[in-house]
């Protein structure tokens, strides 16, 4: 039977979705912790990314706090959802990420009514209509073949209800194809998880081990009389079996051995590189920079870039090496520890850089405030001068007079004298 929540209409333009592995790691980690803690709340989370036209990236995911409604339906905690979304937006500002999808557990058959209600709640809380749905199929985990991921991505669309009122729409979903996009940092994280996941085997508890061993001893003593003289060769092979339980390392021991092996390989490679640099420097002729007796000029094929790199490496070695304290003995026989000059000078230089940066920031801020004050003062002065000029020009013109023999004109002069351009007779 076809899923009624899946639409059959073709999209106007197909979306290109790029899924990052960190989203998958977050979802699986959330599901594992949720199941191991036996939490009753449903599994609901949000996925953020960026959208450029019809290209959408799903880069980070996080869990969402939910509450159970009185009718056993999922209800998202609106305050938690809004605050957490704003926090992720503040962290991921360059490039700016926004809500793109929600993830939940679901069957292979497609979304259900509960998924549609959650998507609708997220749309109302975020104010976004285009919210995708990521369904994780838990039943497919043990049946994965060919590298297929146990997830399905759906696009939410609004369609007119059949037989409903005009303008009434319902949420439906359209399955989308996606591709996995991996960055360099994600490659390192995925490789670490994959390496650690190979050692993350289930370790039985001590009580279960003791019970299993006692059961094995009891069964062995019970059948010892029956198999006496018949299975001696087989028993010897079992005792010397290298794959027995006593010879199997625990996951912690295997991880420790792998870590020590990686460190040993790194030290071995570092030693080889140091010997290579030493051999190269020994092969060079004596230089007038290091020997005062040498008068030979450097060869034409001298690699100055490599020599400058080696010099920079040597200049950083005193900072990388652990400092040994210097003890100065006072006349009374008491020793006083002092910081080595190299480390002290480096610390002083860092402190000076911090103070210089703070001073430059304060100076820049003061200049900006002074410039703003100058602009405001210029604006106020210009307005004041403009008002003064208007008042002076208005009083000098005076009134127009009546023109019919009045003693005073319409307006007064600048000193209160009656004025007017009209004339009543000869002067």
């Amino acid at each position: 039977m076809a899923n009624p929540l899946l639409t059959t209409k073709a999209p106007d333009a197909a979306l290109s979705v790029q899924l990052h592995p960190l989203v998958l790691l977050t979802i699986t980690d959330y599901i594992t912790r949720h199941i191991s803690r036996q939490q009753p709340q449903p599994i609901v989370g949000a996925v953020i990314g960026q959208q450029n036209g019809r290209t959408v990236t799903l880069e980070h995911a996080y869990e969402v706090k939910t509450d159970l409604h009185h009718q056993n339906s999922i209800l998202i905690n609106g305050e938690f959802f809004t605050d957490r979304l704003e926090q992720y937006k503040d962290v991921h500002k360059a490039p700016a990420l926004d809500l793109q999808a929600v993830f939940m557990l679901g069957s292979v058959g497609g979304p259900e009514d509960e998924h549609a209600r959650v998507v609708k709640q997220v749309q109302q809380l975020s104010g976004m209509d285009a919210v995708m749905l990521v369904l994780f199929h838990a039943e497919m985990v043990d049946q994965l073949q060919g590298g297929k991921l146990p997830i399905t991505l759906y696009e939410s669309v609004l369609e007119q209800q059949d037989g409903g009122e005009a303008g009434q729409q319902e949420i439906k979903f359209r399955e989308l194809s996606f591709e996995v996009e991996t960055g360099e940092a994600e490659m390192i994280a995925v490789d670490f998880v994959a390496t650690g996941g190979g050692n993350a085997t289930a370790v039985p508890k001590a009580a279960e081990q003791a019970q299993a061993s006692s059961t094995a001893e009891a069964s062995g003593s019970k059948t010892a009389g029956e198999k006496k003289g018949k299975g001696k060769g087989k028993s010897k092979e079992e005792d010397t079996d290298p794959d027995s339980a006593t010879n199997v390392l625990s996951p912690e021991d295997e991880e420790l051995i792998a870590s020590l092996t990686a460190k040993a390989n790194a030290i071995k490679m570092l030693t080889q590189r140091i010997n290579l640099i030493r051999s190269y420097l020994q092969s060079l002729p004596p230089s007038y920079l290091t020997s005062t007796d040498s008068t030979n000029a450097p060869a034409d094929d001298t690699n100055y870039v490599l020599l400058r790199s080696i010099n920079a490496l040597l200049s950083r070695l005193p900072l990388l090496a652990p400092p040994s304290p210097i003890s100065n003995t006072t006349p009374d026989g008491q020793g006083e520890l002092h910081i080595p000059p190299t480390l002290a000078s480096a610390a002083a230089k860092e402190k000076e850089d911090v103070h210089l940066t703070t001073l430059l920031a304060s100076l820049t801020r003061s200049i900006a405030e002074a410039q703003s004050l100058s602009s405001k003062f210029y604006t106020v002065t210009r307005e004041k001068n403009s008002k003064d000029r208007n008042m002076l020009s208005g009083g000098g013109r005076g009134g127009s007079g009546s023109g019919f023999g009045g003693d005073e004109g319409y307006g007064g002069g600048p000193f209160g004298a009656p004025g007017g351009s009209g004339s009543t007779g000869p002067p």
Side-chain angles (χ1 to χ4, degrees):
M1 181 179 179
N3 192 334
L5 292 179
L6 294 179
T7 181
T8 57
K9 295 182 179 179
D12 298 335
L15 281 176
S16 176
V17 182
Q18 297 177 356
L19 180 64
H20 287 251
L22 287 181
V23 176
L24 302 178
L25 294 178
T26 304
I27 294 175
T28 53
D29 177 69
Y30 178 33
I31 294 174
T32 302
R33 289 186 287 106
H34 189 279
I35 295 176
S36 62
R37 295 174 182 175
Q38 298 180 355
Q39 296 177 346
Q41 289 83 4
I43 295 177
V44 180
V47 183
I48 61 175
Q50 52 181 330
Q51 181 174 1
N52 298 321
R54 300 297 292 177
T55 302
V56 181
T57 61
L58 305 179
E59 302 184 18
H60 299 278
Y62 61 92
E63 59 269 19
V64 173
K65 185 178 180 181
T66 57
D67 301 323
L68 291 178
H69 200 260
H70 63 280
Q71 298 180 353
N72 293 329
S73 60
I74 302 176
L75 182 63
I76 296 178
N77 191 314
E79 182 179 359
F80 177 87
F81 180 85
T82 305
D83 294 343
R84 183 56 59 88
L85 181 59
E86 291 298 327
Q87 292 173 359
Y88 270 87
K89 286 183 179 180
D90 292 339
V91 172
H92 301 282
K93 285 186 176 180
L97 303 183
D98 203 347
L99 178 68
Q100 300 296 337
V102 294
F103 68 85
M104 297 179 65
L105 291 180
S107 61
V108 186
E112 302 176 357
D113 295 336
E114 198 69 32
H115 302 137
R117 284 194 292 268
V118 171
V119 172
K120 188 174 182 180
Q121 293 178 25
V122 172
Q123 290 177 349
Q124 293 175 354
L125 293 174
S126 62
M128 300 177 59
D129 295 334
V131 177
M132 293 181 288
L133 175 64
V134 180
L135 285 186
F136 186 89
H137 312 303
E139 65 273 13
M140 291 179 57
V141 174
D142 297 332
Q143 304 174 358
L144 296 179
Q145 294 180 357
K148 179 176 175 58
L149 298 175
I151 62 172
T152 307
L153 185 61
Y154 296 95
E155 177 187 11
S156 61
V157 294
L158 294 177
E159 289 188 359
Q160 181 69 28
Q161 281 187 349
D162 296 336
E165 299 179 359
Q168 190 173 4
Q169 296 178 334
E170 61 179 355
I171 296 179
K172 288 195 175 183
F173 300 93
R174 181 187 296 114
E175 185 174 352
L176 295 174
S177 59
F178 60 90
E179 58 181 4
V180 179
E181 181 71 18
T182 308
E184 294 182 358
E186 291 175 324
M187 288 181 182
I188 299 174
V190 171
D191 180 71
F192 177 79
V193 172
T195 305
N199 299 328
T201 56
V203 180
K205 297 181 181 179
E208 296 178 357
Q209 290 180 348
Q211 183 179 0
S213 60
S214 61
T215 305
E217 291 177 359
S219 61
S221 59
K222 182 178 179 181
T223 58
E226 299 177 359
K227 298 184 177 180
K228 184 177 181 181
K230 295 182 180 180
K232 293 183 179 180
K234 185 176 181 181
S235 62
K236 291 181 180 180
E237 294 177 358
E238 291 177 355
D239 293 339
T240 60
D241 187 8
D243 296 333
S244 59
T246 57
N247 296 330
V248 176
L249 296 175
S250 63
E252 291 80 5
D253 295 338
E254 292 183 358
E255 187 174 356
L256 177 60
I257 292 174
S259 176
L260 293 178
T261 303
K263 291 180 180 179
N265 293 334
I267 295 174
K268 189 181 299 183
M269 181 178 294
L270 178 61
T271 305
Q272 294 176 356
R273 299 291 176 85
I274 293 176
N275 292 334
L276 179 62
I277 294 176
R278 181 185 301 172
S279 301
Y280 174 74
L281 294 178
Q282 290 176 353
S283 64
L284 295 177
S287 174
Y288 63 92
L289 296 177
T290 57
S291 177
T292 57
D293 299 336
S294 176
T295 58
N296 298 329
D300 296 336
D301 57 348
T302 303
N303 192 342
Y304 294 101
V305 177
L306 182 58
L307 293 177
R308 281 194 293 268
S309 300
I310 296 175
N311 188 21
L313 177 62
L314 294 177
S315 63
R316 289 196 299 265
L317 288 180
L319 299 179
L320 299 177
S324 57
I326 301 175
S327 177
N328 294 334
T329 305
T330 57
D332 55 358
Q334 297 180 357
E336 184 180 358
L337 295 179
H338 295 277
I339 302 177
T342 304
L343 186 59
S345 60
K349 185 178 179 181
E350 292 290 338
K351 187 176 181 180
E352 292 175 358
D353 292 342
V354 172
H355 286 311
L356 180 60
T357 304
T358 306
L359 181 61
L360 288 176
S362 177
L363 182 61
T364 305
R365 185 165 54 252
S366 301
I367 293 175
E369 292 177 356
Q371 184 178 5
S372 176
L373 179 62
S374 175
S375 301
K376 293 179 181 178
F377 180 77
Y378 174 74
T379 304
V380 172
T381 305
R382 184 180 59 183
E383 293 293 332
K384 183 178 179 181
N385 294 336
S386 177
K387 290 182 180 179
D388 292 342
R389 285 196 300 269
N390 291 337
M391 292 177 61
L392 291 174
S393 61
R397 287 194 304 267
S400 59
S402 60
F404 295 99
D407 292 336
E408 293 181 357
Y410 181 77
F415 300 98
S421 59
S423 175
T424 59

